[in-house]
C-alpha cells in the first residue's frame, strides 16, 4: 500500500465500524483540527502480533484522560478493534495508528466539553523509518533550535498531537539540510530526544540516556532498558549536557517507528555503529518477532 494517505484501498476502524479507507473522514470544523485536541499511538505488528499492544492502549487512554477527551471504549475493545483492522486489510507486518479526538459539535472555541469524542484505528505497511541504510551506517541528525518545554506548561507524558508541532518543524528543517532527523534539547539545555524517538549513548561500555522528566518515556525505550539490564550493562539515566556528546562513542535511537536505529552523527559529533549498538538492535529484533 502506498500513495497519498487519503486515497488508498482498505479499511479503517472508525467508532466501532470498519469503513472503506476513502470514506473515513471528518468535518472541517472538527475541534482537533483547530485546537489539537487529539491523542494517538504508534504501534508495530510483527508476524501479526502488535508489540506491547496493551501497553499502547493503556497509554492512549491515559493520554486521553490527561487532555480530558472521553474515550468510550475499553482496552479490550480497542485491542479487538486493532486485530479487526489488521485482518480487514490483510496485514501481518504493519504500523498501527489509533487516534482519539474531539470532533465537531456545539463548541468551536478553545473549550470542547460539549463536543463528542471519536476513535479511529488505521494500519498500513511501513518500512524502516530512517531508511535501510541507517541500520548499517547510522542516521545523521541535526540539532534543533526548538526545545522540549517545561512540564509545567504541557502534559509532557501524554502522546498528544499538539506536542509534535515543534517536532514537525525540526524534522523538516533537518531534512532540508540532508539529515534524517533532529536532536532536541529540553528547556534547561539538556539533551532530550529526537523528534519522535528516545536516545541512548555509549561510553566505555556503559550506557547513558536522558532522564524522561519532560518528554515521553517511550515504550520501546523501556523495552531496550530491560534488554540492557539482561546483558548486565550499566545504565545511567541522567541529565546530559550537549557538550558531553563529544565523548560518547556510540549512539542509537529507539521508538516504535525508529525501532533501534544507530546514529552516526548529531551536529558536529560523530559516533561509530559499535558492537553494543548492533547487539541491542539484534536483541530487539528477536524480542519483537514471534
Amino acid at each position: 500500500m502506498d500513495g497519498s494517505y487519503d486515497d488508498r484501498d482498505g479499511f479503517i476502524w472508525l467508532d466501532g465500524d470498519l469503513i472503506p479507507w476513502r470514506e473515513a473522514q471528518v468535518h472541517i470544523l472538527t475541534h482537533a483540527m483547530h485546537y489539537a485536541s487529539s491523542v494517538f499511538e504508534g504501534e508495530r505488528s510483527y508476524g501479526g502480533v502488535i508489540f506491547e499492544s496493551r501497553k499502547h492502549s493503556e497509554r492512549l487512554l491515559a493520554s486521553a484522560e490527561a487532555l480530558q477527551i472521553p474515550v468510550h471504549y475499553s482496552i479490550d475493545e480497542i485491542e479487538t478493534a486493532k486485530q479487526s483492522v489488521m485482518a480487514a486489510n490483510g496485514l501481518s507486518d504493519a504500523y498501527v495508528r489509533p487516534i482519539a479526538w474531539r470532533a465537531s459539535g456545539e463548541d468551536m472555541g478553545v473549550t470542547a466539553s460539549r463536543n463528542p469524542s471519536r476513535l479511529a484505528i488505521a494500519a498500513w505497511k511501513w518500512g524502516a523509518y530512517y531508511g535501510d541504510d541507517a541500520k548499517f551506517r547510522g542516521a545523521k541528525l541535526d540539532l534543533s533550535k526548538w526545545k522540549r518545554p517545561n512540564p509545567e506548561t504541557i502534559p509532557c507524558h501524554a502522546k498528544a498531537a499538539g506536542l509534535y508541532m515543534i517536532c514537525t518543524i525540526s524534522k523538516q528543517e533537518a531534512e532540508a539540510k540532508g539529515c534524517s532527523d533532529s536532536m532536541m534539547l529540553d528547556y534547561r539545555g539538556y539533551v532530550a530526544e529526537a523528534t519522535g524517538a528516545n536516545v541512548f549513548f555509549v561510553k566505555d561500555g556503559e550506557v547513558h540516556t536522558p532522564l524522561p522528566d519532560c518528554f515521553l518515556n517511550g515504550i520501546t525505550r523501556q523495552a531496550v532498558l530491560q534488554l540492557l539490564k539482561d546483558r548486565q550493562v550499566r545504565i545511567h539515566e541522567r541529565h546530559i549536557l550537549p557538550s558531553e556528546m563529544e565523548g560518547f562513542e556510540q549512539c542509537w535511537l529507539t521508538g516504535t517507528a525508529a525501532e533501534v536505529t544507530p546514529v552516526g552523527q548529531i551536529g558536529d559529533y560523530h559516533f561509530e555503529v559499535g558492537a553494543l549498538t548492533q547487539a541491542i538492535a539484534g536483541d530487539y529484533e528477536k524480542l519483537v518477532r514471534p
Side-chain angles (χ1 to χ4, degrees):
M1 183 186 294
D2 53 17
S4 174
Y5 278 90
D6 64 350
D7 186 20
R8 298 186 175 196
D9 296 328
F11 298 89
I12 291 175
W13 187 95
L14 179 61
D15 296 329
D17 296 309
L18 286 166
I19 306 295
W21 192 288
R22 295 175 182 84
E23 296 176 19
Q25 300 181 15
V26 297
H27 194 273
I28 194 67
L29 294 182
T30 292
H31 194 271
M33 184 180 296
H34 296 259
Y35 296 100
S37 51
S38 65
V39 296
F40 68 98
E41 284 295 314
E43 311 174 25
R44 275 194 190 267
S45 169
Y46 301 88
V49 178
I50 299 172
F51 179 63
E52 298 288 24
S53 181
R54 198 168 188 89
K55 286 186 179 180
H56 282 286
S57 295
E58 290 169 351
R59 189 172 67 180
L60 179 73
L61 294 186
S63 296
E65 183 178 6
L67 268 68
Q68 301 175 5
I69 300 171
V71 175
H72 305 295
Y73 297 91
S74 68
I75 289 175
D76 287 341
E77 289 171 327
I78 294 171
E79 290 295 294
T80 299
K82 292 179 197 176
Q83 292 303 317
S84 69
V85 169
M86 297 277 292
N89 290 287
L91 294 171
S92 178
D93 284 16
Y95 185 81
V96 182
R97 169 56 58 85
I99 180 167
W101 72 96
R102 285 284 191 175
S104 53
E106 296 180 59
D107 290 325
M108 197 49 210
V110 173
T111 186
S113 58
R114 295 185 296 173
N115 289 11
S117 60
R118 306 189 72 182
L119 177 65
I121 303 171
W124 60 88
K125 291 183 179 180
W126 206 11
Y129 185 61
Y130 293 109
D132 291 331
D133 285 351
K135 294 283 187 179
F136 305 99
R137 300 173 59 183
K140 180 181 178 182
L141 275 64
D142 188 26
L143 279 169
S144 176
K145 66 183 180 183
W146 297 97
K147 296 182 178 181
R148 300 310 302 168
N150 188 317
E152 294 180 353
T153 68
I154 59 168
C156 64
H157 298 300
K159 195 169 177 66
L163 305 186
Y164 283 79
M165 177 181 65
I166 56 175
C167 300
T168 297
I169 298 170
S170 297
K171 187 169 171 62
Q172 289 176 171
E173 290 176 345
E175 290 175 340
K177 297 177 182 178
C179 299
S180 300
D181 203 347
S182 194
M183 181 58 58
M184 306 182 78
L185 306 182
D186 70 17
Y187 66 102
R188 298 159 296 196
Y190 296 124
V191 175
E193 59 177 349
T195 60
N198 296 123
V199 64
F200 290 76
F201 299 99
V202 180
K203 183 178 181 179
D204 298 330
E206 298 181 355
V207 168
H208 303 254
T209 187
L211 190 68
D213 57 0
C214 66
F215 57 88
L216 204 64
N217 181 13
I219 289 173
T220 305
R221 177 185 185 274
Q222 296 171 48
V224 166
L225 285 172
Q226 186 58 54
L227 292 174
L228 288 165
K229 292 174 184 176
D230 292 343
R231 284 183 169 269
Q232 298 184 325
V233 175
R234 188 174 182 184
I235 304 165
H236 305 272
E237 289 188 80
R238 63 180 181 85
H239 295 140
I240 298 172
L241 290 167
S243 59
E244 293 184 70
M245 289 193 285
E246 185 175 9
F248 292 134
E249 301 147 5
Q250 302 175 46
C251 177
W252 69 76
L253 301 176
T254 65
T256 295
E259 300 172 290
V260 176
T261 299
V263 173
Q265 182 176 351
I266 301 175
D268 295 330
Y269 304 108
H270 293 265
F271 313 93
E272 64 173 345
V273 181
L276 184 56
T277 301
Q278 295 177 48
I280 292 300
D283 289 349
Y284 183 75
E285 185 75 7
K286 293 175 185 176
L287 176 66
V288 299
R289 293 197 176 275

